Amino acid sequence: MPDLDLLVTAGRVLDPARELDRVADVAVREGRIVEISPGIDRARARQLVDASGAIVAPGIVDLHTHVLGGVLDSCADADEVGVASGVTTVIDAGSAGPSTIGAFPRWIIPNRRTRIVPFLHIAQTGLATRPDVAAASDIDFDLVERALAEHEGLIGGLKLRMVNPALRIFGLEMLRRATQIAHDAGLPVMVHVGDLLDQADDELGRQTLELLGPGDIVTHVFTPHPGGVLDARGRVLPEAFAASERGVLFDAAHGRQNLSFAVLRAVTDQGLPLTAISTDISAAGRRAVVFTMTEVMSRYLGLGFELREVIELSTAKPAAAARLADAGSLLAGGVADISILDIIPGRWEAQDAVGARLPLDRLIVPRATVRAGELIAPGPGPHPQGWLPDSFRAS
Ligand SMILES: [Zn+2]
């Protein structure tokens, strides 16, 4: 008589948070992992998933996405970039503000299988307009506080963008108020940096870093634009190291415009710790530059990161940054969120947000996803030919 709902068999179980790296089976019952060990009797399971030759990782957590698709046409569909792409949890990085956040519990979350944790944009209607803040009336901090109270337990943090014209209108006061409100509610702020194309000095970047506290998140840390964590000479700002020591977290958030491989190398070579590999995926990012979380993860392999590190930066660390105690690790008794991943050898090239090329000799591709015990097959992939990007083009 089968007593297991699902058995993921013979994969390489790689869970950096628990220092687990061995071939084993993962048994699932009633949405939870009940056992991880080799040689679990196949006859006990109602459903088998063959993971031989694959990596069995904790469910991938993408710390920066835009998944208000169906409400905002600039956003991606949560399941398309989530469970159908090997990702079990997505953090929405402020697609919705106080006037639009209700769409998540009312329309999006009940109709999607991917776990969705929205961060609240401080601008009234989030990313419904561009720019998000065009006038002083676009931010009402009382409404921000009220939305946090009304959606307690749903909202994971506050999001704001240190960009113009918002900065010309509010200055650093915008960040001060947001940080205070978030911290009073026991939540982190996520701060978008590095879009100050019209501001050549790095003073604002320094001041931003100084205002952040433990658990706050700097997103787009590898931005090629001014206002990031590098000074004009390419050195990591001392304020960034000091912030990191205070517990401020640094998120990559690739996006179509916000990650340069050269900046990534410069920042990581100088030793600033990274918290998360994330996509900043949107409807347009799904079609160009970004494509998928697993493809973005593959770029870090191409940049010389170890597989273990890439998995940790896509599971345990972003889960901790989003303060999700029940995600990021494969734990007996824990929620059965599992990403089963193939690593395919070949020759491809990736491009960053400024068009720099990076050769890839391995590609991470989803084989199957388990979300709260439910087995989900990958979608068709983001490219015309599926999951594998264009073949390597000799330059
Ligand atoms: Zn974003």
Side-chain angles (χ1 to χ4, degrees):
M1 190 67 182
D3 68 320
L4 300 173
D5 296 325
L6 187 71
L7 188 60
V8 180
T9 62
R12 176 182 164 194
V13 178
L14 183 52
D15 180 0
R18 299 181 55 220
E19 290 180 13
L20 196 60
D21 185 357
R22 63 164 175 166
V23 174
D25 305 325
V26 181
V28 174
R29 186 193 302 129
E30 289 170 3
R32 296 194 168 265
I33 294 171
V34 290
E35 189 183 345
I36 302 170
S37 58
I40 298 176
D41 184 0
R42 297 334 185 217
R44 288 176 56 194
R46 286 184 194 87
Q47 194 174 19
L48 292 171
V49 188
D50 178 14
S52 50
I55 301 294
V56 176
I60 292 171
V61 178
D62 188 343
L63 190 61
H64 190 141
T65 67
H66 294 284
V67 292
L68 199 55
V71 176
L72 281 190
D73 60 7
S74 60
C75 284
D77 178 89
D79 279 353
E80 194 176 54
V81 302
V83 288
S85 294
V87 174
T88 55
T89 300
V90 295
I91 314 309
D92 183 278
S95 304
S99 317
T100 47
I101 190 73
F104 275 110
R106 180 72 178 84
W107 301 112
I108 304 291
I109 291 170
N111 295 305
R112 294 293 178 273
R113 292 185 286 183
T114 308
R115 182 174 182 185
I116 301 166
V117 180
F119 273 43
L120 179 75
H121 201 308
I122 61 167
Q124 203 78 294
T125 56
L127 299 182
T129 59
R130 283 291 174 121
D132 42 13
V133 178
S137 57
D138 288 337
I139 302 179
D140 180 332
F141 284 105
D142 291 339
L143 290 184
V144 171
E145 277 180 302
R146 203 183 301 166
L148 286 185
E150 216 169 286
H151 298 281
E152 199 186 338
L154 172 82
I155 294 171
L158 273 193
K159 171 76 188 294
L160 73 158
R161 299 170 72 233
M162 298 296 281
V163 299
N164 284 324
L167 278 169
R168 271 199 294 272
I169 301 167
F170 290 97
L172 276 175
E173 193 54 26
M174 178 171 72
L175 178 59
R176 278 194 200 97
R177 282 297 298 277
T179 307
Q180 189 189 1
I181 290 170
H183 293 178
D184 285 351
L187 298 171
V189 289
M190 179 188 274
V191 184
H192 170 127
V193 299
D195 257 353
L196 294 169
L197 297 169
D198 52 352
Q199 186 165 331
D201 71 89
D202 48 36
E203 199 46 45
L204 189 87
R206 294 176 191 273
Q207 292 169 329
T208 297
L209 289 162
E210 282 172 344
L211 283 172
L212 299 177
D216 291 332
I217 302 162
V218 174
T219 192
H220 305 308
V221 60
F222 304 132
T223 177
H225 309 306
V229 298
L230 292 181
D231 69 13
R233 287 194 282 174
R235 289 175 313 197
V236 173
L237 298 169
E239 289 83 357
F241 286 118
S244 178
E245 271 156 36
R246 285 200 307 280
V248 173
L249 308 173
F250 293 88
D251 171 40
H254 196 300
R256 283 180 304 141
Q257 283 148 16
N258 296 309
L259 183 139
S260 144
F261 297 141
V263 172
L264 188 156
R265 285 197 176 98
V267 172
T268 52
D269 284 356
Q270 291 174 65
L272 186 71
L274 180 62
T275 294
I277 292 171
S278 66
T279 58
D280 188 19
I281 202 159
S282 60
R286 173 72 175 175
R287 293 189 294 267
V289 186
V290 182
F291 300 110
T292 62
M293 179 65 177
T294 50
E295 197 167 323
V296 168
M297 290 163 67
S298 308
R299 295 173 193 175
Y300 288 76
L301 294 178
L303 287 155
F305 284 61
E306 299 292 331
L307 176 64
R308 180 197 177 284
E309 212 178 353
V310 170
I311 298 292
E312 188 174 29
L313 289 167
S314 313
T315 57
K317 287 192 170 178
R323 304 182 184 179
L324 305 175
D326 52 354
S329 186
L330 296 170
L331 213 57
V335 176
D337 285 358
I338 307 166
S339 294
I340 304 162
L341 308 166
D342 281 310
I343 299 187
I344 297 172
R347 269 162 69 84
W348 298 277
E349 72 168 21
Q351 286 198 7
D352 66 8
V354 290
R357 292 172 169 195
L358 175 74
L360 304 178
D361 60 8
R362 285 173 295 170
L363 204 75
I364 304 173
V365 167
R367 183 187 292 194
T369 306
V370 179
R371 162 68 190 129
E374 185 190 358
L375 179 66
I376 298 155
H383 302 287
Q385 66 276 20
W387 286 93
L388 304 182
D390 293 338
S391 299
F392 183 83
R393 287 177 285 124
S395 52

